[in-house]
């Protein structure tokens, strides 16, 4: 189902972003470079998901 794909993509974006902020906050509080580095890695994952989501939306507009 194509609408289901949008919901799944949006859910992945939200979860990834929430985990990213959690790692960022805990990394700052705990002075952990590992968590800070992983949080920025998750930022790049979140940006990739945003690009994918926009591509899906643009593809739907193009087909209509």
């Amino acid at each position: 189902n194509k609408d289901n794909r949008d919901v799944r993509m949006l859910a992945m974006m939200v979860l990834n972003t929430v985990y990213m902020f959690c790692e960022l906050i805990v990394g700052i509080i705990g002075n952990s470079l590992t968590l800070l580095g992983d949080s920025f890695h998750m930022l790049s994952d979140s940006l990739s998901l945003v690009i994918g989501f926009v591509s899906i939306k643009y593809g739907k507009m193009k087909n209509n």
Side-chain angles (χ1 to χ4, degrees), residues 12-52:
M12 288 188 329
M13 286 188 323
V14 168
L15 283 173
N16 200 12
T17 304
V18 167
Y19 289 145
M20 179 199 67
F21 281 116
C22 289
E23 280 190 346
L24 183 66
I25 291 167
V26 172
I28 290 171
I29 291 171
N31 288 329
S32 173
L33 287 177
T34 303
L35 284 176
L36 287 175
D38 192 48
S39 69
F40 283 104
H41 177 250
M42 289 182 80
L43 175 64
S44 69
D45 293 342
S46 294
L47 292 175
S48 297
L49 287 169
V50 168
I51 291 170

Side-chain angles (χ1 to χ4, degrees), residues 1-11 53 56 60:
N1 193 357
K2 292 186 179 196
D3 292 330
N4 193 14
R5 183 174 33 187
D6 293 344
V7 172
R8 286 185 296 174
M9 192 75 137
L10 193 59
F53 187 74
I56 289 172
K60 281 183 179 180

